[in-house]
């Protein structure tokens, strides 16, 4: 029932992709709600409660909760926290913070996984630029997901874009992944490297593309909670992620409300079809 190619990468049927899209939209709508909700004085735990309710109200299940013992619906990583921050109510968000929210949901057995970094109130222009560079690097990586290109082209495009924008750090030990009937499936997807390596993309493959970009060094460490990844130099970090399907008509961004159409039509022109299944 679940087909894999010779490299062990899960290949979804058109019907299965529609289910992935439904799960992806739950995540996309949840993140949109969080984007509209965040403000100084809220805590990451407040955002976690909003996310859990939004996901469950759609009949879906938060996939992070209980994943390897993770206690919450979202990962909430503030400022120098890169990824995997545990939402708490210890420190309310302050004007000038940036917060990365990573969110996953399961609907009808299929997974969606997406992340955004948001400004809390007014932030330093350097942080606005960091978020822009990270999000655009994600889109450049997504645009590589066309039939016939290679797995390593994602990381190549991500890194090439980030390097063209200034001296940023790209943590090498974290990256994207295949996604489908599990959140984390083969293969792992680097955010750096050479082009033209690894399996070629085929219709029905799905990947989470998720660059992390640091304002300073690429070096990170994990806090004593065994989850939270922080930059070694304490400088801020950003993280954006979408779950994306490879189709004959181009990349279909399952966790984007418009299927990726707006941004990809600028990057890819004619090749940026999204099957018309947009919101
Ligand atoms: Mg994620
Ligand atoms: Mg992911």
């Amino acid at each position: 029932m679940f087909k894999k190619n010779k490299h062990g990468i899960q290949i979804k049927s058109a019907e299965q992709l529609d289910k992935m899209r439904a799960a992806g939209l739950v995540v996309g709508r949840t993140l949109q709600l969080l984007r509209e909700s965040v403000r100084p004085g809220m805590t990451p735990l407040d955002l976690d409660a909003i996310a859990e309710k939004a996901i469950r109200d759609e009949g879906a299940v938060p996939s992070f909760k209980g994943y390897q013992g993770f206690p919450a619906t979202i990962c909430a990583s503030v400022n120098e926290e890169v990824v995997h921050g545990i939402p708490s109510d210890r420190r309310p968000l302050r004007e000038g913070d940036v917060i990365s929210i990573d969110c996953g949901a399961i609907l009808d057995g299929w997974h969606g996984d997406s992340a955004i970094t948001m400004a809390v109130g007014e932030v330093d222009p350097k942080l606005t630029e960091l978020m822009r560079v990270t999000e655009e690097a994600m889109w450049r990586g997504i645009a590589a997901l066309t039939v016939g290109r290679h797995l390593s082209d994602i990381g190549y495009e991500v890194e090439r874009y980030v390097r063209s924008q200034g001296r940023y750090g790209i943590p090498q030990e974290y990256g994207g992944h295949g996604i489908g009937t599990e959140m984390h499936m083969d293969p792992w997807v680097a955010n750096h490297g050479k082009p033209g390596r690894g399996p070629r993309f085929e219709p029905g493959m799905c990947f989470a593309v998720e660059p992390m970009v640091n304002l300073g060094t690429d070096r990170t460490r994990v806090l004593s909670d065994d989850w939270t990844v922080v930059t070694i130099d304490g400088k801020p970090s950003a993280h954006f992620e979408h779950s994306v399907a490879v189709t004959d008509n181009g990349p279909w961004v399952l966790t984007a409300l418009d299927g990726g159409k707006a941004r990809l039509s600028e990057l890819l022109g004619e090749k940026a079809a999204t099957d018309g299944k947009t919101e």
Side-chain angles (χ1 to χ4, degrees), residues 64 102-103 113-115 177 210 239 241:
F64 293 6
D102 197 341
C103 181
D113 184 10
S114 181
H177 48 91
E210 50 176 316
H239 177 214
E241 174 181 27

Side-chain angles (χ1 to χ4, degrees), residues 12 18 31 34 58 86 89 146 154 184 251 256-257:
K12 285 78 164 171
D18 285 343
L31 286 172
L34 295 180
E58 297 218 42
I86 301 172
D89 57 4
T146 58
I154 298 173
H184 292 140
L257 299 185

Side-chain angles (χ1 to χ4, degrees), residues 18-272:
D18 285 343
K19 291 183 174 179
M20 290 277 298
R21 173 59 166 162
L25 281 173
V26 171
V27 177
R29 285 191 286 258
T30 300
L31 286 172
Q32 178 65 29
L33 179 62
L34 295 180
R35 192 183 271 294
E36 291 160 6
S37 305
V38 71
R39 60 184 186 277
M42 289 182 91
T43 68
L45 204 59
D46 296 330
L47 295 171
D48 188 70
I50 292 169
E52 178 163 10
K53 181 172 188 311
I55 289 169
R56 294 199 191 276
D57 281 353
E58 297 218 42
V61 176
S63 50
F64 293 6
K65 207 160 199 175
Y67 181 84
Q68 294 181 1
F70 191 79
T73 292
I74 57 171
C75 294
S77 308
V78 180
N79 297 337
E80 77 283 1
E81 296 171 353
V82 181
V83 286
H84 304 163
I86 301 172
S88 87
D89 57 4
R90 280 196 309 273
R91 171 175 159 335
L93 295 169
R94 290 190 283 242
E95 178 103 13
D97 286 343
V98 288
I99 180 169
S100 300
I101 305 281
D102 197 341
C103 181
I106 312 167
L107 185 68
D108 206 8
W110 297 90
H111 285 253
D113 184 10
S114 181
I116 55 174
T117 302
M118 310 183 290
V120 180
E122 289 274 315
V123 301
D124 189 304
K126 271 191 289 197
L127 296 177
T128 306
E129 178 65 4
L130 172 71
M131 290 187 284
R132 186 197 66 75
V133 168
T134 311
E135 185 169 16
E136 182 59 19
M138 174 193 68
W139 284 111
R140 300 296 173 112
I142 290 171
L145 281 164
T146 58
V147 174
R149 288 193 72 177
H150 291 265
L151 179 63
S152 76
D153 292 357
I154 298 173
Y156 170 73
E157 296 293 353
V158 165
E159 181 176 29
R160 186 162 72 122
Y161 182 74
V162 174
R163 301 278 177 242
S164 77
Q165 298 302 300
R167 288 173 57 90
Y168 293 100
I170 304 173
Q172 310 266 298
E173 62 273 52
Y174 302 98
H177 48 91
I179 183 167
T181 50
E182 306 286 336
M183 177 165 60
H184 292 140
M185 305 185 80
D186 286 338
W188 188 71
V189 180
N191 286 317
H192 64 280
K194 296 188 165 73
R197 311 280 168 94
R200 286 180 189 271
F201 297 130
E202 299 170 35
M205 289 180 175
C206 297
F207 301 92
V209 177
E210 50 176 316
M212 288 134 264
V213 179
N214 301 345
L215 203 53
T217 176
D218 61 357
R219 296 190 55 217
T220 62
R221 66 189 175 90
V222 179
L223 297 184
S224 58
D225 64 14
D226 283 339
W227 281 104
T228 313
V229 178
V230 298
T231 57
I232 289 237
D233 59 9
K235 291 190 178 172
S237 182
H239 177 214
F240 283 85
E241 174 181 27
H242 272 309
S243 301
V244 186
V246 178
T247 81
D248 280 320
N249 303 317
W252 184 16
V253 187
L254 303 165
T255 45
L257 299 185
D258 75 344
K261 203 166 191 169
R263 191 67 197 96
L264 290 177
S265 59
E266 289 169 10
L267 286 172
L268 289 171
E270 300 264 294
K271 281 193 282 177

